[in-house]
Every structure is written in structure tokens, then in C-alpha cells.
């Protein structure tokens, strides 16, 4: 079945550092890929998405590129802020037309220190 | 405001005492889901629904029931809760199979 593997955390960075959170996936067909963010005490919010190979999703300075050849969707940000401290989840949605919902990775806790 | 609401937000109960966690969305979404979040395991889908009276099992359905009698509501029922169901539960909805998924704020359940 479908699966998502994320780098294990926690990740601790200083403000303005470069961030990479690795995500790889296993799926049949052509899934859509997502990054969700969960701030303390809140539900998940969609951060960015990509629906086909070579698409780049971006939002709030975060980026991720859908790489079919390496089955990866790594999250990057050039300069993190304290307010980026949260848990980040990589997820996939099966091929178009499937009723099946999202499959999530285990999440990566990010802490940014001032 | 478009939102998914869950109640209660926090619940402590004892083994075997039936409980229901409610979920409601005001976006007229067809698809709704329940997930549980556990440390190191991410979110795992319990049940999902594609429309009124249409539900299906997710990855971890054992010990749970759902119903979808109205489009806006999707309650999660634990007939006989056990301590291994202690978790953080999220309800979510989306417009179609391709739409963005909106999450509720979560319900933290403790079963003693």
C-alpha cells in the first residue's frame, strides 16, 4: 500500500538557518503530494502541494518539488523564523478519482531558536 | 467562516463507557474523515465517508464506528473504549477527491 517516510526529528535550528525536511513516498500511479503544518494546540493546515511530477509547491517561503524519479518531496526554506516552530507532515493522496484519503508521514518537530 | 468543529476538545473517560465525538463542517463538503494522531506514527485514518450514508474503513477502524446521516455531520463512536484508544483525534473534510483537506482542532481523549 501507499506509504510516506519522513526524516526523524526533532530538528532544532537557529533563526535564519536553512531548513530541509526529507520526505519520500511509495505509491502506485501518480499521487498528489502535500506538506501540512501543525502549530501547538491546533489542527493541521495545508502548507503547500504539488499534483504532478516536477511541480513545485510554495507558500510562506517554503518550497517542495515533486520528484518522481526519486519519489521525493523534500521541504525547504531558506531562512527560518521562530514562528516556523511546528510539526510538519508530508502526505500523499492517491491517484485522481480515488476516494481514499490522505496517507501521512510520522511528522517532524521543528524548533527554531532566536 | 469556513471551518470544521469537533466536540469535546478534551475528554477523560473509563474503559467500557460508550462515548461519541462530534464533527461538523459548514462547507458543504462531500468527503469527511477521522484520523488519530499518536507519537511517532503520524496521522492514521480511522474511517472516511464519501457522502451521506456512504462510509468505509481506513487503516485503523477496529473499535470505532461512524455514521453519516447528514452531509455536515460525521460523529465518531467508541462503543467500548479501551486504554489503547487514548489518542488525539482529528476530523477533516474536503470538497471532492482532489480538494484541499480542512482539519478540525482535535479532540484529546484519555481512556483509563
Amino acid at each position: 500500500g501507499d506509504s510516506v517516510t519522513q526524516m526523524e526529528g526533532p530538528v532544532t535550528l537557529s533563526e535564519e538557518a536553512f531548513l530541509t525536511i526529507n520526505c519520500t513516498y511509495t505509491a502506485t500511479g501518480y499521487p498528489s503530494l502535500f506538506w501540512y503544518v501543525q502549530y501547538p494546540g491546533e489542527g493541521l493546515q495545508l502548507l503547500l502541494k504539488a499534483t504532478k511530477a516536477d511541480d513545485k509547491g510554495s507558500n510562506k517561503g517554503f518550497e517542495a518539488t515533486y520528484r518522481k524519479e526519486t519519489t521525493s518531496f523534500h521541504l525547504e526554506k531558506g531562512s527560518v523564523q521562530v514562528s516556523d516552530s511546528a510539526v510538519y507532515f508530508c502526505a500523499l493522496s492517491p491517484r485522481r478519482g480515488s476516494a481514499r484519503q490522505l496517507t501521512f508521514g510520522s511528522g517532524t518537530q521543528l524548533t527554531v531558536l532566536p | 467562516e469556513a471551518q470544521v468543529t469537533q466536540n469535546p476538545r478534551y475528554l477523560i473517560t473509563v474503559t467500557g463507557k460508550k462515548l461519541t465525538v462530534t464533527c461538523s463542517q459548514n462547507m458543504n463538503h462531500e468527503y469527511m474523515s477521522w484520523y488519530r494522531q499518536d507519537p511517532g506514527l503520524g496521522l492514521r485514518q480511522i474511517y472516511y465517508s464519501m457522502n451521506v450514508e456512504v462510509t468505509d474503513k481506513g487503516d485503523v477502524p477496529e473499535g470505532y464506528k461512524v455514521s453519516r446521516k447528514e452531509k455536515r455531520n460525521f460523529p465518531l463512536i467508541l462503543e467500548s473504549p479501551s486504554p489503547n484508544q487514548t489518542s488525539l483525534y482529528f476530523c477533516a473534510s474536503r470538497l471532492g477527491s482532489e480538494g484541499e483537506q480542512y482539519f478540525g482542532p482535535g479532540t484529546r481523549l484519555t481512556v483509563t
Side-chain angles (χ1 to χ4, degrees), chain A residues 38 89 99-102, chain B residues 33 37 45 50 59 90 101:
Chain A
Q38 184 181 29
F89 291 92
R100 193 71 169 80
Q101 303 286 291
L102 296 170
Chain B
S33 293
Q37 182 180 10
Q45 191 178 57
M50 292 153 281
D59 297 316
F90 288 99
Q101 188 140 212

Side-chain angles (χ1 to χ4, degrees), chain A residues 32 34 36 38 41-44 46 49 89 93 95-102 104-107, chain B residues 9 31 33 35 37 40-43 45 48 50 58-59 88 90 94 97-98 100-101 103-105:
Chain A
S32 296
F34 305 83
Y36 280 81
Q38 184 181 29
E42 298 183 12
L44 279 73
L46 179 64
K49 69 178 182 182
F89 291 92
S93 180
R95 65 192 180 283
R96 184 178 295 275
S98 170
R100 193 71 169 80
Q101 303 286 291
L102 296 170
F104 286 87
S106 58
Chain B
R9 294 290 312 277
Y31 289 79
S33 293
Y35 296 87
Q37 182 180 10
L41 298 176
L43 276 79
Q45 191 178 57
Y48 62 98
M50 292 153 281
D59 297 316
L88 179 58
F90 288 99
R94 66 197 305 194
S97 60
E98 304 297 320
E100 176 182 344
Q101 188 140 212
F103 284 83

Side-chain angles (χ1 to χ4, degrees), chain B residues 22-50:
Chain B
T22 64
C23 172
S24 183
Q25 50 94 4
N26 63 1
M27 296 167 279
N28 202 36
H29 287 171
E30 294 101 347
Y31 289 79
M32 297 187 74
S33 293
W34 276 102
Y35 296 87
R36 60 178 289 173
Q37 182 180 10
D38 300 291
L41 298 176
L43 276 79
R44 294 176 294 168
Q45 191 178 57
I46 303 170
Y47 269 95
Y48 62 98
S49 170
M50 292 153 281

Side-chain angles (χ1 to χ4, degrees), chain B residues 21-94:
Chain B
V21 183
T22 64
C23 172
S24 183
Q25 50 94 4
N26 63 1
M27 296 167 279
N28 202 36
H29 287 171
E30 294 101 347
Y31 289 79
M32 297 187 74
S33 293
W34 276 102
Y35 296 87
R36 60 178 289 173
Q37 182 180 10
D38 300 291
L41 298 176
L43 276 79
R44 294 176 294 168
Q45 191 178 57
I46 303 170
Y47 269 95
Y48 62 98
S49 170
M50 292 153 281
N51 215 321
V52 174
E53 302 293 2
V54 183
T55 63
D56 206 351
K57 297 177 180 179
D59 297 316
V60 288
E62 294 78 20
Y64 304 94
K65 287 175 57 178
V66 293
S67 69
R68 189 90 182 273
K69 292 182 169 49
E70 305 167 283
K71 197 171 187 179
R72 63 182 293 128
N73 296 324
F74 190 45
L76 179 69
I77 303 155
L78 285 71
E79 294 270 4
S80 183
S82 62
N84 65 12
Q85 292 178 297
T86 293
S87 188
L88 179 58
Y89 291 86
F90 288 99
C91 181
S93 73
R94 66 197 305 194

Side-chain angles (χ1 to χ4, degrees), chain A residues 17-88:
Chain A
F18 184 86
L19 168 71
T20 299
I21 300 177
N22 291 337
C23 171
T24 57
Y25 68 90
T26 302
T28 54
Y30 304 94
S32 296
L33 301 174
F34 305 83
W35 277 100
Y36 280 81
V37 59
Q38 184 181 29
Y39 298 104
E42 298 183 12
L44 279 73
Q45 304 171 25
L46 179 64
L47 180 60
L48 53 84
K49 69 178 182 182
T51 58
K52 60 183 188 297
D54 299 324
D55 267 3
K56 176 185 284 189
S58 62
N59 186 25
K60 299 181 182 180
F62 291 89
E63 292 183 342
T65 301
Y66 189 147
R67 301 284 188 203
K68 194 171 188 329
E69 64 276 14
T70 55
T71 62
S72 64
F73 193 54
H74 304 321
L75 182 69
E76 296 183 335
K77 187 174 185 182
S79 177
V80 293
Q81 306 300 312
V82 172
S83 58
D84 294 326
S85 298
V87 181
Y88 292 81

